[in-house]
Amino acid sequence: MDQREAGVLDQLWQGSPEAIEVLYDRYGRVAYTVALRVLSDQAAAEDVVQEAFLAIWRRAMTYRPERGSLRSWICAIVRNRAIDRLRGEAGRGRVELPLDERPEGAGVSDTWDQVAAELSREQVRGALRQLPVEQRQTIELAYWAGLSQREIAESMDVPLGTVKGRARLALSKLRDLLQEREQSWQPQ
Amino acid sequence: MATAMRCEEAEQLIALAVLGALERDGAGGLESHLATCAGCRETVRAFRRAAAVLPQSLEEATPSRQLRRRLMGAVYAGSATAPARPRRVAGLWRRVPQARGFTLAAALAAAASVALAVWGATRGPAAQTETFAVVPAAAPASAHGELTYFPGQGRSVLTVSGLGAPSRDGSAAVYEVWLVPRSGAPAPAAFMSPVPGSGSWTAVVSGDLRGYQAIAATVEPPGGEPQPTGAQEFVVPLSQT
Ligand SMILES: [Zn+2]
């Protein structure tokens, strides 16, 4: 988070509409991109983006800098709402993990946000291409189509245990790839 | 450590949860495992970060311009009736990790400058600015304020006191600000927003003011209009530019 973002958060807290304008100008496109990817419908995607930014404006949810970048926070809100809209009741009742905060002062990984922000589309796609196709499909069905573990097992016609194994391998590999980048990352 | 669930099994459930696919009745034992296993708590963080880059694989799409208008219209309409919120500058800043290279003083200075909503314009000394007075029209005669133009940044800040909450036929509305050219139709430029606790309204207008004869404001329905439909509330003649 840069100083400008920090200022925006302060403004948001005070209820200044300009804060939403700045956030929208910065993250409106990526938010719309995520919503459109889930919904494949421009009007529905725009509705979801508007709802999400209005919810942020009404402080229906609170951003915690120590839990990740502003960008990924906004993307997560938009994706959740888009899947809600796509799946309705069927998309609810999923487990959300407790948010474990970064250990105080340990500086575990302040570089992470910068590393993630500097990844280009081609680099992320490259990382995904290194996954076996069935692992990629598992990510696709869960993250973008909003299917549950059972629904994924049915649609891929594999046992539930296989779905679990694929999800773990896929995220482990993405994590390892990103950690390599993080370790070799130098501030620019 | 003797836990009912092995770490590999826990990692599978964490991966499903991070991807949004873990059903409640399939999560048995995960919570208690996480309570006792620091390694798997770290996996939660790492998997969550890995999933957070997935949106970056997408070809970026562009929403319509109307979306910004609709969103900001709804925000500005809502802000006119929303109660002022308490300032929590220090509290918010305490949560920003020190390692990011901020000092509290710098942070507060940044917050103070952005409160005017002049992005960039306040970075250096405002060496060259031009100021124009607000002239009330349909607004109460006591309405007053000024427009400060920062030619170097191509931005202006408009601040007006003595305006009531905008309404049309008794329903919520917005103050829409227009750039009025020497000839031709006014162009929509911004919406006014109330400055919490001060009773005044402000807007930032982007663009070079040369070529315009005035800035004016009207009351429009939420979301604004592409062309003014209400009476002029006030006008700022730009005689010097
Ligand atoms: Zn474990």
Side-chain angles (χ1 to χ4, degrees):
Chain A
M1 180 168 58
D2 59 31
Q3 198 160 331
R4 193 167 108 143
E5 284 193 345
V8 174
L9 291 175
D10 180 53
Q11 270 196 305
L12 196 58
W13 190 266
Q14 293 170 52
S16 155
E18 280 90 2
I20 283 294
E21 210 156 2
V22 172
L23 277 189
Y24 179 80
D25 287 344
R26 221 167 204 214
Y27 300 112
R29 280 187 65 161
V30 69
Y32 175 71
T33 301
V34 165
L36 188 63
R37 176 70 172 77
V38 171
L39 293 163
S40 308
D41 177 299
Q42 294 178 3
E46 290 197 352
D47 282 353
V48 161
V49 170
Q50 175 162 354
E51 279 169 23
F53 277 88
L54 280 175
I56 291 167
W57 154 247
R58 294 189 189 109
R59 286 196 305 176
M61 46 277 283
T62 309
Y63 173 65
R64 303 290 301 270
E66 65 273 27
R67 287 175 182 166
S69 71
L70 201 46
R71 177 194 173 96
S72 47
W73 179 65
I74 291 173
C75 285
I77 293 170
V78 169
R79 182 188 151 272
N80 281 340
R81 283 173 178 263
I83 291 204
D84 239 30
R85 188 167 175 136
L86 182 75
R87 304 286 334 268
E89 270 308 311
R92 302 203 180 101
R94 308 287 168 78
V95 172
E96 289 212 30
L97 293 173
L99 287 170
D100 196 22
E101 294 175 17
R102 288 173 188 168
E104 257 328 285
V108 166
S109 185
D110 268 336
T111 53
W112 175 265
D113 292 343
Q114 284 105 308
V115 174
E118 285 172 18
L119 286 172
S120 68
R121 182 165 65 236
E122 265 322 301
Q123 285 169 321
V124 177
R125 285 182 178 178
L128 287 169
R129 269 197 301 270
Q130 291 184 36
L131 302 178
V133 64
E134 66 276 7
Q135 289 177 23
R136 256 199 330 261
Q137 281 169 351
T138 305
I139 289 183
E140 167 73 33
L141 293 173
Y143 195 80
W144 295 119
L147 299 195
S148 73
Q149 73 224 50
R150 260 182 266 265
E151 291 168 326
I152 297 168
E154 273 169 39
S155 86
M156 296 182 82
D157 200 19
V158 294
L160 192 54
T162 307
V163 174
K164 292 180 179 179
R166 285 173 180 172
R168 170 174 170 267
L169 287 174
L171 282 180
S172 302
K173 270 182 224 165
L174 280 183
R175 170 195 62 192
D176 294 348
L177 241 76
L178 295 169
Q179 271 173 359
E180 270 170 42
R181 289 210 153 264
E182 191 180 12
Q183 271 149 23
S184 59
W185 185 82
Q186 297 290 328
Q188 287 174 351
Chain B
M1 184 170 296
T3 47
M5 180 180 281
R6 289 177 305 123
C7 288
E8 182 179 333
E9 199 184 337
E11 283 178 14
Q12 293 179 342
L13 299 183
I14 293 166
L16 286 175
V18 163
L19 293 172
L22 183 60
E23 288 154 356
R24 288 202 198 289
D25 58 358
L30 178 59
E31 203 178 339
S32 55
H33 182 90
L34 286 175
T36 58
C37 182
C40 283
R41 287 201 298 274
E42 181 53 37
T43 301
V44 172
R45 266 197 293 275
F47 279 7
R48 191 177 275 135
R49 288 160 163 182
V53 302
L54 291 173
Q56 279 165 256
S57 68
L58 304 178
E59 196 80 48
E60 203 165 55
T62 305
S64 71
R65 281 169 187 238
Q66 285 85 333
L67 176 58
R68 189 181 196 282
R69 266 183 102 70
R70 262 196 294 145
L71 170 66
M72 291 320 300
V75 165
Y76 282 94
S79 75
T81 51
R85 292 164 184 167
R87 282 186 67 87
R88 282 281 306 278
V89 176
L92 189 73
W93 277 102
R94 269 199 294 277
R95 297 204 299 267
V96 178
Q98 292 279 319
R100 309 251 169 128
F102 294 117
T103 65
L104 186 62
L108 289 171
S113 64
V114 298
L116 283 173
V118 197
W119 298 107
T122 50
R123 287 266 164 75
Q128 286 199 314
T129 61
E130 293 172 57
T131 306
F132 304 94
V134 166
V135 180
S142 59
H144 60 280
E146 62 181 30
L147 177 103
T148 306
Y149 176 41
F150 299 83
Q153 285 86 20
R155 273 169 190 262
S156 310
V157 182
L158 175 63
T159 310
V160 187
S161 302
L163 296 175
S167 83
R168 266 169 73 127
D169 311 323
S171 26
V174 294
Y175 285 116
E176 188 160 11
V177 178
W178 308 93
L179 279 164
V180 185
R182 297 219 166 83
S183 63
F191 297 104
M192 303 283 289
S193 64
V195 180
S198 73
S200 60
W201 294 72
T202 186
V204 177
V205 177
S206 300
D208 190 334
L209 293 187
R210 276 172 301 188
Y212 293 97
Q213 57 164 323
I215 280 177
T218 58
V219 173
E220 303 293 346
E225 292 285 345
Q227 285 296 307
T229 63
Q232 273 188 16
E233 294 292 316
F234 62 82
V235 63
V236 184
L238 303 171
S239 44
Q240 306 305 310
T241 48

